[in-house]
Amino acid sequence: MKALFCTVLLGLGILGLCSCAEQSEPEETAVTTTAVTTAGTKATTTVTTTVTTTAPLPKHRIEKNMRFKVDADSVRPWGCTAELENNSDEKREYTRSYRILEAESGREFPLCDGYEEETGKAYGIQPEETAELNIKWADRYGDLPSGIYLLEVVLEDPEDEEPLVCQTEIKVTAEGYVPVLYIAPEDVKNTGVTLTIDNQTDVGRSYVFVYRLYDEGTEPHTLLLRKFDSEAQLKANNYVAPGETLKLTFKWGDTYGDLLDGHYRVEIEMLADGDGHGKTYHADFDIG
């Protein structure tokens, strides 16, 4: 009887090891296609429902005695220059903590994955004095796509429950400066999408088979699925040359399932020629 019991335990252990091996088998993820080549990659798949850092902003108060003006000609997808003028009769303080809000929804633009907020240092500005601000938001948000946004500079501690801010509207034009990403309605299925990368600039971009999928119809912004290919390399075929248009196809039906009707966002990282680190780019799409 004892020998039989040991034999049963040994059999169960072998089955458990086989089960783990089957679960860790990598599955095919993204495929990049051009007129000449087709390349594939393997990725370990994880399914999550974690919430990202794009929760609704806390209530804020608009300061009326400070004039905040952006030089419209300086606005680029990665930053701009602006002026902050103290129109009050006393010295005021401000930080260099900036926030970009989507004008239509009022939500903060999605932060780059892994971005960590720095403590806002206070700067003084005397009555009737003007401070010139060189604002670079690329590390926080990546390059912005074309659109209308609200730019805020935080005057007080950004950790306050109701921070005091100055706010102004900006118009960003991405075409000619950074790659434009989009997903045509005919390229959308609830099991996957085809992302078009239109790089009509004079700088090439490299990319890897890593993407993030968000549910944009929820409040707050929610990460639905995240795939990483730990062995992905910046190879020759993972490159968008200046003036080139490429298509990147993602299929998640086998690993995540069919998406329900709603509004979603695909996000990737791209590295420009000569840069030391990549930036975040995205495209939205609707199902249903």
Side-chain angles (χ1 to χ4, degrees):
M1 178 64 70
K2 182 176 180 181
L4 177 61
F5 181 67
C6 292
T7 301
V8 171
L9 288 179
L10 179 60
L12 290 174
I14 293 174
L15 288 175
L17 289 174
C18 292
S19 175
C20 292
E22 291 174 356
Q23 292 176 3
S24 62
E25 180 68 17
E27 300 183 53
E28 187 173 354
T29 173
V31 177
T32 304
T33 60
T34 69
V36 180
T37 62
T38 300
T41 188
K42 298 282 186 178
T44 300
T45 301
T46 58
V47 179
T48 66
T49 55
T50 57
V51 176
T52 67
T53 52
T54 54
L57 291 174
K59 293 181 180 180
H60 57 267
R61 296 171 291 136
I62 304 295
E63 172 55 71
K64 298 180 179 179
N65 291 323
M66 301 280 280
R67 185 181 68 89
F68 185 40
K69 182 179 180 180
V70 168
D71 178 3
D73 293 334
S74 74
V75 177
R76 299 291 184 267
W78 51 83
C80 69
T81 58
E83 290 184 346
L84 182 64
E85 181 180 341
N86 181 6
N87 291 328
S88 68
D89 56 1
E90 60 183 10
K91 180 181 177 180
R92 302 298 303 274
E93 291 188 346
Y94 67 97
T95 71
R96 293 191 177 179
S97 294
Y98 311 115
R99 301 191 299 203
I100 300 289
L101 281 63
E102 295 175 329
E104 185 174 349
S105 66
R107 291 193 305 175
E108 184 173 12
F109 193 83
L111 303 181
C112 292
D113 186 59
Y115 176 81
E116 295 184 3
E117 180 70 77
E118 297 180 0
T119 302
K121 180 181 177 181
Y123 297 85
I125 181 171
Q126 298 292 340
E128 305 304 323
E129 183 178 80
T130 299
E132 293 186 359
L133 308 178
N134 186 20
I135 302 174
K136 301 295 183 183
W137 56 68
D139 289 342
R140 182 181 177 96
Y141 303 106
D143 291 333
L144 298 180
S146 298
I148 305 297
Y149 303 92
L150 299 176
L151 172 62
E152 287 186 349
V153 57
V154 182
L155 301 178
E156 298 178 341
D157 187 347
E159 299 300 323
D160 287 350
E161 291 185 2
E162 295 186 10
L164 193 64
V165 303
C166 288
Q167 185 185 91
T168 190
E169 185 177 276
I170 59 173
K171 181 179 180 180
V172 174
T173 300
E175 290 79 1
Y177 294 105
V178 297
V180 175
L181 278 63
Y182 62 90
I183 299 172
E186 60 270 21
D187 292 333
V188 175
K189 296 181 180 179
N190 56 2
T191 56
V193 297
T194 297
L195 174 68
T196 299
I197 304 173
D198 188 14
N199 186 29
Q200 301 306 313
T201 70
D202 57 0
V203 178
R205 260 78 175 181
S206 302
Y207 59 92
V208 294
F209 291 115
V210 176
Y211 76 98
R212 293 177 287 273
L213 179 63
Y214 296 95
D215 183 351
E216 287 294 291
T218 60
E219 188 70 37
H221 178 91
T222 304
L223 175 62
L224 293 181
L225 173 68
R226 190 170 186 173
K227 290 187 177 183
F228 287 96
D229 178 9
S230 60
E231 298 180 356
Q233 301 294 326
L234 298 179
K235 299 179 181 178
N237 61 332
N238 296 349
Y239 185 77
V240 189
E244 187 177 14
T245 298
L246 292 179
K247 293 182 180 293
L248 186 63
T249 297
F250 299 103
K251 297 181 179 179
W252 52 71
D254 293 339
T255 55
Y256 180 72
D258 298 352
L259 294 182
L260 301 176
D261 290 355
H263 185 56
Y264 300 91
R265 170 170 295 176
V266 166
E267 184 177 270
I268 65 172
E269 304 290 328
M270 301 183 73
L271 178 67
D273 292 348
D275 281 357
H277 62 280
K279 293 181 180 178
T280 300
Y281 297 89
H282 75 266
D284 292 357
F285 64 95
D286 293 301
I287 292 179

